[in-house]
Amino acid sequence: MLRALLRAFEEAAPGEGLTQIADRLGLDRAEAAGMAGYWVRKGRLRREEIGTADCSGCFFASRGCTTCPDTSASTQRPSLIALTPVRLPRAEGSA
């Protein structure tokens, strides 16, 4: 099932996330997240966090974004976790 999850990430449509992949594979979201964590540790998936609590990672933060609450608000700002496959270089001579 671990390989099936990795393959699903490699074949995922743009915008398809962990929830959709878990549903497609018939997995619980928490189980799929744990399996994805395994692939992150192995270097086969890259985990990127966008829009962290201070919004420093968001593209729009430097362009006057107003969708995140201000810093005086008690709620956490939204963050997006992106998991993308890491393409391994092909060995020379393999077909």
Side-chain angles (χ1 to χ4, degrees):
M1 189 52 72
L2 277 168
R3 289 191 188 275
L5 181 83
L6 181 60
R7 189 171 32 257
F9 270 102
E10 291 171 343
E11 298 170 353
E16 188 174 22
L18 182 63
T19 302
Q20 293 85 5
I21 290 172
D23 288 345
R24 185 161 30 104
L25 295 175
L27 296 170
D28 177 75
R29 188 182 184 285
E31 183 181 13
M35 294 166 74
Y38 169 84
W39 288 118
V40 169
R41 289 187 302 277
K42 290 293 187 180
R44 296 296 303 273
L45 288 178
R46 182 179 305 118
R47 182 183 189 275
E48 299 174 77
E49 193 166 330
I50 303 166
T52 57
D54 65 355
C55 258
S56 62
C58 178
F59 171 78
F60 296 104
S62 63
R63 289 165 173 70
C65 172
T66 59
T67 59
C68 294
D70 65 6
T71 55
S72 64
S74 60
T75 59
Q76 283 282 46
R77 292 184 178 182
S79 65
L80 171 69
I81 308 288
L83 294 171
T84 54
V86 174
R87 304 286 182 204
L88 298 178
R90 291 189 130 174
E92 289 186 38
S94 65

